[in-house]
Amino acid sequence: MADIIVVGAGAAGLFAALTAAEKGASVTLVSARPLAETASYWAQGGAAAALAVDDSPAIHLQDTLAAGRGLTRPSAAEVLTEEAAARVRELQALGVIFDADRHGELALGLEGGHSRRRIIHAGGSATGRRILRQLSADVAADPRIEVLEGRRAAGILRDGEGRAVGLTLEGGGTLTARATILATGGAAALWSRTTNPPGSFGSGLLLARHAGAALADLEFTQFHPTAVVGIQGREGFLISEAVRGEGATLHGPDGERFVDELSPRDAVARAIFRLLRQTGAPAAYLDMRMVDPGRFPNVVSALREAGLDPMTQRVPVAPASHYVMGGIVTDLDGRADGVEGLYAVGECACTGLHGANRLASNSLSECFVFGRRAALAGLDEPEPPSVTAVPPPETVAPPPTRDTRKAVWRLAGLERSAEGLNELRDDPHPLARLVAASALAREETRGAHARAEFPETDPSLDGRHTVFPAGSETPAFVPWL
Ligand SMILES: Cc1cc2nc3c(=O)[nH]c(=O)nc-3n(C[C@H](O)[C@H](O)[C@H](O)COP(=O)(O)OP(=O)(O)OC[C@H]3O[C@@H](n4cnc5c(N)ncnc54)[C@H](O)[C@@H]3O)c2cc1C
């Protein structure tokens, strides 16, 4: 038996494991896929923290609340913005080297929605890769952490009182611990066009739900405006917003510009979506010929490897599903609502931090802030009794089929209607059905969620989250503080 089980080896899981081990705990870290297949590894932009002299947690909080369009849970945003800077310093102490300016100070970038320079990067646009490389090396070197790579959590083990006491593994085997921390990543790959790795289909959400935890806010999916389309081997490859920040422009099939490229992410994504719908064209075109290629070496080299030179040719792009704001409902220490002993952190969790629209670069910071909190809280859990709990069935969290993913993209994409969502409610995949039910219940347009029949925001739904209690397929609107 370990003190803590962590499921997932992205930024949230690795940081939670290291935090627990640093406090002397024994940790078992289970990861289904190799590191390069985590969303964390692919993160290009960076992590947000109020580190500049003209910045403060209060200003970062205001920006986070504004991005969330009336649905951000203020207490969660306060925790993130207060604690992010300290976690950055810890990452540095763990050996992560962030980009510095010519005075040796952290180089802080500016991104859409942030009113101050507060984005830290590593290796330019290789931030996720650099952080993960360091954290995984630290994990591998830590004798208190046992890593089970290539193993998939199949279900949550519970004792007679319903408390989580560990998990079962696909292919056989059980693990027990005081606390089980899910860090299984997001669900954006439930949509067929996505920037996410295939494993991000929300398996942790289904594991937690089967164990009795509540899920929330599944209608809020952020679509990234500029994911590569029609280039073999690079389908869905994300071209960071920062490229537009440096002057890149967007053009329709007629060569004309059609949107203010610096508008918020959801506005740009919808403008491209509508243009493609009107014209029937497969792509809009990103012109980044005026951008310094040295600023985005991995974008330029990835496209060149695929046979397109962005320094001489325009890049075909279209929106793709990128980030799901909803997930397993947790408190501010990552405790899953409804199941004692179970925790969720990172993209699989829903603290309410991101509201209806995530502020760019807050998600990596979330992994560190809440990953640490959950690890510390988990250490206070009692030792599980030596029970033989009933193992859950093997099919708790099936991957979506190709047909489901296409249906989710078509019926719960950038603009939703009751007709399409009702059709999706009959999908065989349980998470697809929950996304449909949430999106159907929210009869308004807010942040990343757009309903064709309800183009306005309904102020009576401010601060109200769509929550599925365990077992229910009908969400309730619940206010969170
Ligand atoms: C292309 C791209 C660029 C991004 N850029 C940024 C950015 O610049 N800044 C920012 O803040 N955010 C960014 N994001 C979002 C951010 O990267 C993610 O929100 C964050 O990394 C999620 O981390 P995580 O640890 O929660 O999950 P992940 O990094 O996705 O890790 C999930 C882990 O869980 C494992 N797993 C899943 N299910 C199981 C199971 N059943 N059993 C065992 N293991 C399992 C996976 O194998 C994996 O190890 C980006 C995302 C993408 C896709």
Side-chain angles (χ1 to χ4, degrees):
M1 190 198 89
D3 291 314
I4 305 271
I5 297 168
V6 177
V7 188
L14 292 172
F15 200 75
L18 286 166
T19 303
E22 198 257 327
K23 297 289 172 200
S26 59
V27 179
T28 304
L29 177 65
V30 184
S31 175
R33 310 286 305 168
L35 274 191
E37 290 184 27
T38 62
S40 304
Y41 188 85
W42 292 9
Q44 292 179 3
L51 291 152
V53 281
D54 66 345
D55 199 4
S56 68
I59 304 174
H60 188 184
L61 174 65
Q62 284 316 313
D63 293 344
T64 302
L65 293 174
R69 309 276 154 77
L71 203 72
T72 301
R73 185 183 187 180
S75 55
E78 268 165 35
V79 165
L80 179 98
T81 53
E82 283 286 343
E83 298 182 11
R87 299 295 81 80
V88 170
R89 299 296 180 207
E90 270 170 31
L91 286 168
Q92 290 179 298
L94 285 167
V96 181
I97 298 170
F98 292 110
D99 297 346
D101 62 18
R102 63 200 161 86
H103 307 293
E105 302 293 332
L106 281 174
L108 299 171
L110 190 61
E111 270 184 2
H114 291 275
S115 61
R116 297 289 189 278
R117 291 194 160 270
R118 63 167 76 98
I119 316 301
I120 49 158
H121 300 260
S125 49
T127 308
R129 190 182 310 183
R130 293 281 176 95
I131 294 177
L132 252 68
R133 211 186 280 161
Q134 184 62 49
L135 296 188
S136 54
D138 292 343
V139 160
D142 195 319
R144 286 157 301 194
I145 305 176
E146 185 191 5
V147 181
L148 303 182
E149 212 179 9
R151 300 302 307 272
R152 174 171 286 279
I156 306 298
L157 267 183
R158 285 176 300 154
D159 69 11
E161 269 131 47
R163 185 189 167 75
V165 292
L167 48 81
T168 56
L169 294 168
E170 235 174 60
T174 58
L175 300 170
T176 55
R178 294 168 192 270
T180 303
I181 302 179
L182 295 174
T184 48
L190 196 61
W191 282 253
S192 55
R193 226 185 107 60
T194 182
T195 63
N196 276 223
S200 298
F201 63 82
S203 73
L205 278 61
L206 293 173
L207 296 178
R209 178 169 160 86
H210 186 270
L215 305 183
D217 291 350
L218 298 174
E219 69 275 39
F220 292 107
T221 309
Q222 200 166 60
F223 294 89
H224 198 285
T226 53
V228 167
V229 66
I231 299 186
Q232 220 186 354
R234 286 288 176 263
E235 197 63 40
F237 179 75
L238 180 146
I239 303 193
S240 160
E241 241 123 32
V243 172
R244 276 176 282 131
E246 293 296 315
T249 49
L250 276 166
H251 302 260
D254 58 0
E256 295 298 317
R257 286 172 71 183
F258 58 94
V259 64
D260 172 1
E261 287 83 358
L262 300 179
S263 304
R265 181 176 281 183
D266 53 338
V268 179
R270 259 174 237 148
I272 299 178
F273 169 76
R274 288 184 182 137
L275 176 87
L276 302 187
R277 192 172 54 185
Q278 272 162 21
T279 60
Y285 295 89
L286 184 72
D287 188 347
M288 54 184 285
R289 287 175 291 184
M290 69 298 287
V291 173
D292 172 6
R295 291 285 317 272
F296 304 99
N298 70 332
V299 171
V300 174
S301 65
L303 291 171
R304 281 185 177 153
E305 273 166 29
L308 185 142
D309 185 352
M311 293 300 107
T312 58
Q313 294 165 279
R314 287 178 175 171
V315 186
V317 292
S321 159
H322 183 52
Y323 187 90
V324 174
M325 270 69 77
I328 305 160
V329 179
T330 70
D331 71 6
L332 301 180
D333 289 312
R335 289 184 195 89
D337 187 28
V339 189
E340 278 185 45
L342 185 66
Y343 290 72
V345 292
E347 199 172 328
C348 70
C350 180
T351 61
L353 161 68
H354 304 297
N357 219 358
R358 171 185 68 121
L359 180 61
S361 290
N362 267 356
S363 38
L364 273 181
S365 305
E366 171 187 26
C367 290
F368 308 121
V369 167
F370 291 96
R372 178 175 191 273
R373 285 182 152 247
L376 297 181
L379 292 176
D380 288 337
E381 297 286 353
E383 241 178 58
S386 48
V387 286
T388 10
V390 185
E394 280 271 317
T395 50
V396 167
T401 61
R402 220 170 142 225
D403 284 349
T404 287
R405 296 183 65 225
K406 279 161 107 176
V408 177
W409 174 256
R410 190 168 55 85
L411 303 170
L414 282 89
E415 208 166 78
R416 291 100 184 251
S417 69
E419 196 189 351
L421 295 170
N422 273 317
E423 187 184 332
L424 192 60
R425 288 196 79 175
D426 293 329
D427 193 90
H429 197 272
L431 200 53
R433 289 198 299 275
L434 295 180
V435 168
S438 282
L440 201 54
R442 188 170 286 279
E443 296 186 329
E444 64 163 351
T445 290
R446 181 186 292 270
H449 168 71
R451 281 287 300 268
E453 320 87 323
F454 303 100
E456 304 299 327
T457 299
D458 175 356
S460 74
L461 293 177
D462 281 0
R464 295 190 169 263
H465 298 261
T466 23
V467 179
F468 290 102
S472 166
E473 289 216 2
T474 311
F477 283 101
V478 181
W480 291 350
L481 299 176

